[in-house]
Amino acid sequence: MTVHLVKLCVGCDTVQELKYWQIERLKELKRARKPAVLFHPTLQTPKRRDEVLDGGSLYWVIRGFILVRQRILDLRPAHKEDGTPCCAIVYDEELMATRPQARRAFQGWRYLLAADAPGDLRVVEDDEGEMPQAMRADLRELCLIDF
């Protein structure tokens, strides 16, 4: 059974900021002649590894809402820049926008059952703009949009 991970996206206020940051990170890795792989280092290795790698995704919480996900490709041993051992959550470059789902702040990551995961909306493109959260909430309240 597939299990996903949920993680706070600290430092990004929009999905476009996250996408831009990841594009820049890949460029930086290529310039440094390192493997151009996106990953998030975490101290705790998921114990449900097989379930996560069975089609799991990393769902990003941005400003209190799950808004986007990226498919998890691998969970591998790694080291942080200071040498501390960690687990690298390796994920795909493609960002998939999801229906917003409210989430309170938490530390680290959390499991997310497939049945509780928000539905997909669309692939996030490089040049698309981001609708302000207040406008999105107003349109949702007026039942003009459902995401």
Side-chain angles (χ1 to χ4, degrees):
M1 174 168 58
T2 301
V3 173
H4 306 289
L5 299 178
V6 179
K7 177 84 181 103
L8 295 182
C9 187
V10 179
C12 290
D13 290 332
T14 67
V15 173
Q16 281 308 118
E17 279 185 55
L18 174 63
K19 184 162 187 69
Y20 176 77
W21 182 87
Q22 290 181 357
I23 289 169
E24 290 304 308
R25 178 68 180 144
L26 289 171
K27 288 178 186 176
E28 182 181 303
L29 289 168
K30 286 177 185 175
R31 280 193 300 271
R33 291 188 163 78
K34 293 182 179 179
V37 176
L38 291 172
F39 68 92
H40 177 77
T42 180
L43 292 176
Q44 299 298 317
T45 301
K47 294 185 182 2
R48 299 172 72 175
R49 174 188 172 82
D50 293 340
E51 293 171 275
V52 170
L53 294 178
D54 185 28
S57 289
L58 181 58
Y59 283 79
W60 292 106
V61 177
I62 299 173
R63 298 194 50 86
F65 291 90
I66 294 175
L67 296 177
V68 68
R69 72 175 179 88
Q70 291 176 280
R71 192 169 46 92
I72 296 174
L73 304 175
D74 198 7
L75 299 171
R76 61 175 76 142
H79 289 86
K80 291 188 172 193
E81 290 181 15
D82 66 0
T84 306
C86 67
C87 174
I89 303 171
V90 180
Y91 48 88
D92 190 33
E93 294 176 31
E94 182 180 78
L95 284 100
M96 178 64 69
T98 65
R99 295 194 178 279
Q101 187 179 85
R103 279 292 157 147
R104 292 180 190 241
F106 58 89
Q107 290 185 340
W109 52 264
R110 298 287 185 265
Y111 288 114
L112 177 65
L113 300 177
D116 298 332
D120 291 344
L121 294 175
R122 69 196 183 300
V123 173
V124 177
E125 301 296 334
D126 290 341
D127 59 351
E128 72 181 59
E130 187 70 33
M131 183 185 303
Q133 290 297 326
M135 180 187 293
R136 185 180 302 279
D138 290 344
L139 292 173
R140 204 171 33 243
E141 186 176 318
L142 294 168
C143 299
L144 295 174
I145 62 172
D146 64 349
F147 60 92

